[in-house]
Amino acid sequence: MTTEFGWWSRDEDGKRFQVRAQIFGDDIAWSRKQGHHQPWKPYGPPTAEDWEILLGEAARRVPRRLISPAQFETIRRQRPQ
């Protein structure tokens, strides 16, 4: 089962874009979309801020049992040091 996280961010020009992280097992697929009718494009490498947002979103889902603690640990281990 794929777990999906999404949020809005800004590029260096100040334009908003949507970031999506899809997690399937141990794989994380990062993608971004600039406009409503635009296709999703690969995004990477994710910034430290992107990882903080992803881990924060995942941590909020654990108490509500939307993801398991094991899934959260898998996401946390994927973060580069």
Side-chain angles (χ1 to χ4, degrees):
M1 181 172 103
T2 302
T3 304
E4 187 173 307
F5 298 88
W7 61 90
W8 289 91
S9 189
R10 291 192 183 269
D11 61 10
E12 54 277 348
D13 297 332
K15 295 182 181 177
R16 286 176 43 131
F17 62 93
Q18 196 171 1
V19 177
R20 178 174 69 181
Q22 293 178 307
I23 297 146
F24 186 77
D26 287 345
D27 296 328
I28 300 177
W30 295 85
S31 54
R32 69 174 273 167
K33 182 167 81 165
Q34 188 78 29
H36 182 67
H37 296 290
Q38 300 299 318
W40 287 97
K41 296 179 182 176
Y43 175 65
T47 64
E49 181 182 343
D50 292 329
W51 279 104
E52 288 298 322
I53 293 171
L54 176 61
L55 289 172
E57 290 289 325
R60 279 196 291 272
R61 293 184 187 190
V62 172
R64 299 182 325 196
R65 297 183 182 181
L66 298 174
I67 65 171
S68 70
Q71 288 172 315
F72 178 74
E73 285 302 314
T74 301
I75 294 168
R76 196 176 59 76
R77 277 186 275 132
Q78 296 292 323
R79 181 180 185 172
Q81 298 299 328

